[in-house]
Amino acid sequence: MTRTISILGATGSVGEQTLDLVRRNRDDWRVVALTANCQVATLAAAAREFGAEIAVVADESCLADLREALAGSGIEAAAGRTALCEAAARPVDLTVAAIVGCAGLGPTMAAIEQGGTIALANKEALVSAGEVMTAAVSRHGATLLPVDSEHNAIFQCLQGGRFEDVRSITLTASGGPLRLVEDLSEVTPEQAIAHPNWDMGAKISVDSATMFNKGLELIEAHHLFPVGLERIRIVVHPQSVIHSMVEYRDGSTLAQLGPSDMRVPIASCLAWPARMDTPMAPLDLAAIGELSFFAPDEKRFPATRLAREAAEAGGAAPAVLNAANEIAVEAFLKRKIAFSRIAVLVERVLADGNHPDAPRSLSDVLMVDEASRRRATEMLELA
């Protein structure tokens, strides 16, 4: 039976890998909406290939180019934040929410409000608006499926289990490309982006290098799997074979293993509650040889400590942390600050103390995000 799908962030890493799986299973899917920031050529090509109903660019200045690229196809073209949310609100069987950063919050909420199933690859949205988003999921009868490899692994390990039986949840972290680099002050964007295991976008790759990715995932896990922050742990696992683990009160620990390829957790969401074929080779543990684990070094990589403190503080703190990190990463990628200053800036913004009240709605979250970005930018200019 053919199912309908919309992909928000179709030209990014997760979006392209989702389309690869859809391409391999064409008879199972009908594409409704595809969105991108302003990657017109790539978006238009995908929309034409899959016969999408609508293609949307976030950047309104790209609309004329998109219309030209889609001329004669019968595919609707639109642009801007409102158009993104309207496209996300179209009823479909599955929405893949893969817009990076807080920019994906509005469209993801629009998808939730239409009450469908959302495969969530945008951790920043849940970090910034955890209580608001989970309340909306409950209110509208939507279903959230985690796409992040770690959260998808936890989701799989919890199948048939109960939260009250969980003793702990362990998020695994690769440690990124800089785990063994002594002098972090001289790290270049090229070094930070060169992840040893995963093929990801620039922002997520830098987050992996700083360990902010794992910090954000800690907060995300806190909202997705309400077992208590004190029961959510992080361990560095350089091989990226075990993607996360769940320990139960009887002493049993379930782990999800797989190759370092996002098509595996994406496929889990596309086929849920069933399974589907992927092009991945079977896991060869004998060839891998050994699996190793280390405690995070929070002195050199303080991101996980900052994220846990923000989660414990609650209220607006997680949104502040996320916004400050996005500004800091952007500045680093533009070579305006050193790699080692990313966490410093985030900690300074968090410690500023002049934060808005806890957000109670989407507009509140966006106000916190805007104010925190402004404060982080001011601090950058004063540095």
Side-chain angles (χ1 to χ4, degrees):
M1 184 174 177
T2 301
R3 301 169 67 203
T4 52
I5 185 171
S6 290
I7 304 173
L8 314 178
T11 61
S13 177
V14 170
E16 289 185 340
Q17 290 176 86
T18 301
L19 287 172
D20 176 65
L21 291 170
V22 172
R23 184 180 293 112
R24 296 169 186 272
N25 300 271
R26 280 185 177 273
D27 292 341
D28 297 336
W29 297 99
R30 178 170 64 84
V31 176
V32 173
L34 298 177
T35 81
N37 183 32
C38 195
Q39 295 79 9
V40 169
T42 305
L43 178 64
R48 284 179 175 274
E49 178 185 356
F50 293 96
E53 293 180 8
I54 184 171
V56 183
V57 283
D59 188 338
E60 295 186 32
S61 68
C62 298
L63 179 56
D65 291 337
L66 180 62
R67 283 175 171 161
E68 182 178 353
L70 293 175
S73 67
I75 299 169
E76 183 182 351
R81 290 185 178 182
T82 300
L84 281 176
C85 292
E86 289 175 349
R90 295 193 178 198
V92 290
D93 294 311
L94 180 67
T95 299
V96 178
I99 298 174
V100 176
C102 204
L105 179 55
T108 301
M109 286 293 287
I112 289 171
E113 288 170 358
Q114 61 94 6
T117 300
I118 295 87
L120 185 66
N122 176 279
K123 64 174 65 65
E124 295 90 347
L126 197 55
V127 168
S128 297
E131 288 82 4
V132 173
M133 184 173 290
T134 53
V137 168
S138 177
R139 187 167 60 252
H140 294 283
T143 299
L144 276 187
L145 302 177
V147 172
D148 273 347
S149 61
E150 295 80 3
H151 301 89
N152 185 266
I154 296 166
F155 182 76
Q156 293 190 50
C157 290
L158 284 169
Q159 296 299 301
R162 303 182 305 170
F163 285 134
E164 54 265 38
D165 290 331
V166 173
R167 180 180 292 168
S168 68
I169 288 173
T170 299
L171 294 163
T172 58
S174 69
L178 308 176
R179 184 173 63 88
L180 302 178
V181 174
E182 293 186 7
D183 187 2
L184 297 175
S185 64
E186 299 298 323
V187 169
T188 65
E190 290 77 14
Q191 288 175 293
I193 290 172
H195 198 285
N197 301 335
W198 296 94
D199 179 17
M200 305 180 293
K203 195 270 180 183
I204 298 175
S205 296
V206 173
D207 280 349
S208 178
T210 61
M211 290 287 285
F212 264 111
N213 195 46
K214 207 54 51 180
L216 297 177
E217 289 175 1
L218 173 75
I219 300 173
E220 185 181 10
H222 174 54
H223 291 296
L224 288 171
F225 314 112
V227 299
L229 270 172
E230 71 282 357
R231 296 187 182 186
I232 303 175
R233 306 165 182 171
I234 296 171
V235 65
V236 177
H237 170 49
Q239 293 84 7
S240 295
V241 172
I242 295 177
H243 299 298
S244 279
M245 296 174 275
V246 175
E247 180 187 14
Y248 289 93
R249 64 181 184 177
D250 62 2
S252 300
T253 297
L254 303 186
Q256 189 268 338
L257 287 71
S260 302
D261 193 301
M262 283 302 297
R263 285 176 294 183
V264 174
I266 294 169
S268 171
C269 293
L270 291 181
W272 181 84
R275 298 278 179 173
M276 63 185 288
D277 292 331
T278 72
M280 310 312 302
L283 197 62
D284 188 343
L285 291 177
I288 293 169
E290 64 179 29
L291 304 177
S292 53
F293 306 91
F294 307 94
D297 184 349
E298 293 191 335
K299 183 175 181 181
R300 298 181 67 235
F301 300 95
T304 52
R305 171 181 60 81
L306 294 174
R308 188 176 291 275
E309 290 173 357
E312 289 171 346
V320 173
L321 175 132
N322 179 71
N325 180 59
E326 288 194 22
I327 293 296
V329 170
E330 182 182 12
F332 167 68
L333 289 171
K334 293 180 178 179
R335 304 178 196 276
K336 293 181 178 180
I337 62 171
F339 177 85
S340 56
R341 301 296 294 177
I342 294 175
V344 172
L345 177 63
V346 174
E347 187 161 22
R348 286 181 62 196
V349 176
L350 280 169
D352 185 53
N354 186 26
H355 301 314
D357 295 332
R360 301 178 63 183
S361 65
L362 176 57
S363 60
D364 288 345
V365 174
L366 295 176
M367 287 177 62
V368 171
D369 180 72
E370 182 181 355
S372 302
R373 288 171 186 275
R374 186 166 56 249
R375 186 62 181 136
T377 302
E378 291 171 354
M379 288 185 175
L380 275 175
E381 294 172 349
L382 292 173

